[in-house]
Amino acid sequence: MLHHLGERLADRGGAAGPRILIYSHDTFGLGHLRRCRAIANRLVKARSDVSVVIISGSPIIGSFEFGDGVDYVRVPGVVKLPDGNYTTSSLSLDLEETVAMREAIIMATARTLKPDLLIVDKEPTGFRDELLPALALLKEMGTRIVLGVRDVLDEAATIVPEWERKGAVEALKRYYDHVWVYGLPEVHEPLAAFHLPAEIEDRILYTGYLRRELPPKPQSTRYPRLTREPFVLVTTGGGGDGEELIDWVLSAYEADPSIPVGALLVFGPFVHRDRRDNFVERMARLPKVDAITFDAKIEHLMSRSEGIVAMGGYNTFCEILSLDKRALIVPRRTPRLEQAIRAERAATLGLVSTLDGANLEPGARRDPQEMADAIRNLSRRPLPSLAFPPRLLDGLETIETVTRGWFEAVPVPAERSPA
């Protein structure tokens, strides 16, 4: 049963302000972390006495800036192998020992923080059920528990048996008070395939996509010379699965030097070193192409670009919409169809252009001229804002409004009120 927040604060000895715990399993890439960061920063901006702790396994969480009131706890990292299995990312421990360490850290954080709200990103039971003990503890303590899922999980044939195997629906029934879908039903209904009971359906709220703002830019930031002229930005997110897209773009400039705009490639921090070295060698012969490895504030480069070429993960899609940028999406089709489902629906709505993601399979025969023509045509596309459905980018506003209603019983201390 949910307890009144005022009663919970009194039980804590009067410590001021709501406490929020966000769990992000972060087994691969940057998407989960960036989504959680956007939500955390919005919540502390909305109310100055909120404290947010993010639990994350991302090895580069320290590269990102967080708002005042946000901190993080880093658990040992795990990575997904090409065969679908997992292993530790740094420690010389077996996976079971690593999961046990992660579970203990999560439990200790939950017990010490005593959060008023827990937001779980995507995985209802956590990685390898590591979240279940903390869920039981926090449910007993009266913490409000929310599952947040992106607009697309995967095709039904894959995600339904996967969630059944993990006991995800049972966890929803037992522990979760609300489900936030960070999208709109007009684009996709990620939980429709589960035929959930009415008691869970009633807990689902479509928030809209999470709008992104330009972050503060350090004065010392220096971008490659190429960005002084019109350019397209090619981004693969974390980069661990984006090598084939980079290869295709490079082949386009090799085959067609007349492409009128340059291309800035963002490899991502997880690109394989041998592939990156090969790309750099090829780029040395291409005057219209340059690259950087990573930019924690990539929104500035997106804003400056003529358009974006990407694989279409959730966060990149939000940034494309928020910055109203023309985009060419080439979605990967393995190990999940998430990007392909999103891209196909977005193209139908007139928000983006697409190329077949099957061309990203290793060994696929890609037509360099097809990519060259797609880049050339990008500037002729209408802006995505001309096709926006209502409430498309209301996600953070919706989350702020909902949580304000939960926390409004507690006054903001005068000395910490926003200026």
Side-chain angles (χ1 to χ4, degrees):
M1 186 178 82
L2 295 177
H3 300 301
H4 190 282
L5 181 55
E7 297 174 358
R8 292 176 50 75
L9 293 178
D11 292 342
R12 284 204 299 249
R19 301 179 182 186
I20 301 171
L21 181 62
I22 300 179
Y23 166 83
S24 175
H25 69 293
D26 286 309
T27 58
F28 188 70
L30 301 174
H32 305 289
L33 171 60
R34 294 180 69 198
R35 185 161 55 240
C36 293
R37 170 176 170 262
I39 293 170
N41 284 346
R42 180 58 178 247
L43 291 174
V44 297
K45 182 179 180 181
R47 178 164 173 156
S48 64
D49 64 337
V50 169
S51 295
V52 181
V53 175
I54 300 174
I55 294 178
S56 171
S58 173
I60 62 167
I61 189 170
S63 300
F64 290 91
E65 292 181 5
F66 296 92
D68 291 341
V70 182
D71 211 333
Y72 61 87
V73 173
R74 167 87 157 85
V75 294
V78 294
V79 294
K80 194 170 188 177
L81 301 173
D83 62 4
N85 292 316
Y86 290 87
T87 186
T88 57
S89 59
S90 300
L91 299 176
S92 297
L93 300 175
D94 63 34
L95 186 60
E96 288 71 21
E97 289 178 293
T98 301
V99 172
M101 286 183 61
R102 289 167 58 105
E103 181 180 305
I105 293 169
I106 293 166
M107 189 66 166
T109 304
R111 183 179 286 114
T112 303
L113 184 65
K114 299 180 177 65
D116 306 292
L117 172 63
L118 168 66
I119 303 174
V120 176
D121 188 70
K122 183 181 174 289
E123 295 288 345
T125 64
F127 178 69
R128 298 292 177 98
D129 292 342
E130 66 185 2
L131 192 59
L132 288 176
L135 285 172
L137 171 72
L138 295 179
K139 190 69 174 179
E140 179 65 24
M141 289 171 52
T143 298
R144 192 183 295 263
I145 302 177
V146 176
L147 175 68
V149 297
R150 62 189 181 223
D151 58 340
V152 183
L153 293 172
D154 201 347
E155 63 175 338
T158 298
I159 196 64
V160 171
E162 178 181 314
W163 271 37
E164 288 177 351
R165 185 178 69 253
K166 294 178 177 180
V169 174
E170 182 58 35
L172 277 180
K173 295 178 184 177
R174 180 175 301 177
Y175 300 116
Y176 287 86
D177 304 295
H178 311 274
V179 180
W180 291 341
V181 178
Y182 305 130
L184 291 180
E186 299 96 303
V187 179
H188 190 69
E189 298 182 52
L191 302 177
F194 296 99
H195 305 293
L196 297 171
E199 62 181 293
I200 297 180
E201 289 282 356
D202 291 343
R203 304 172 197 171
I204 298 175
L205 171 66
Y206 284 85
T207 67
Y209 289 87
L210 306 180
R211 186 189 301 272
R212 306 304 167 86
E213 308 289 346
L214 286 177
K217 186 172 72 171
Q219 295 298 318
S220 60
T221 298
R222 296 176 63 88
Y223 294 129
R225 182 182 298 272
L226 175 145
T227 61
R228 300 175 187 174
E229 303 292 336
F231 72 98
V232 295
L233 184 71
V234 183
T235 174
T236 63
D241 58 357
E243 294 97 336
E244 305 307 322
L245 177 59
I246 293 173
D247 176 79
W248 199 1
V249 171
L250 287 175
S251 72
Y253 281 87
E254 289 166 341
D256 187 353
S258 69
I259 298 174
V261 294
L264 178 64
L265 312 179
V266 184
F267 290 144
F270 305 127
V271 68
H272 296 291
R273 181 177 299 179
D274 55 345
R275 292 298 300 273
R276 182 184 61 198
D277 292 345
N278 173 262
F279 294 149
V280 171
E281 185 177 320
R282 292 166 63 184
M283 284 166 37
R285 299 187 289 270
L286 298 172
K288 290 184 179 179
V289 182
D290 206 340
I292 61 175
T293 297
F294 176 63
D295 185 353
K297 298 182 177 181
I298 195 173
E299 295 93 340
H300 288 284
L301 283 170
M302 289 181 165
S303 180
R304 292 167 60 125
S305 73
E306 295 293 302
I308 296 168
V309 181
M311 296 167 68
Y314 179 84
N315 290 280
T316 301
F317 186 60
C318 287
E319 288 154 352
I320 288 168
L321 299 179
S322 301
L323 299 172
D324 201 17
K325 306 303 291 188
R326 299 173 175 92
L328 170 65
I329 303 299
V330 191
R332 70 170 186 233
R333 302 187 67 86
T334 56
R336 295 189 179 278
L337 283 175
E338 168 223 338
Q339 292 182 355
I341 294 169
R342 179 182 299 113
E344 290 165 8
R345 184 58 183 152
T348 299
L349 292 172
L351 300 173
V352 300
S353 298
T354 62
L355 289 179
D356 188 355
N359 287 302
L360 300 185
E361 296 297 319
R365 298 182 63 180
R366 294 182 279 269
D367 180 0
Q369 195 60 51
E370 182 181 18
M371 175 61 76
D373 291 342
I375 294 173
R376 182 178 284 106
N377 293 332
L378 194 54
S379 63
R380 303 169 190 163
R381 275 197 53 80
L383 292 172
S385 59
L386 297 176
F388 279 9
R391 297 183 54 248
L392 182 69
L393 288 168
D394 285 1
L396 292 175
E397 291 86 348
T398 300
I399 291 170
E400 178 186 332
T401 299
V402 169
T403 55
R404 183 191 303 127
W406 296 342
F407 299 150
E408 64 186 2
V410 182
V412 180
E415 67 273 12
R416 297 188 60 190
S417 298

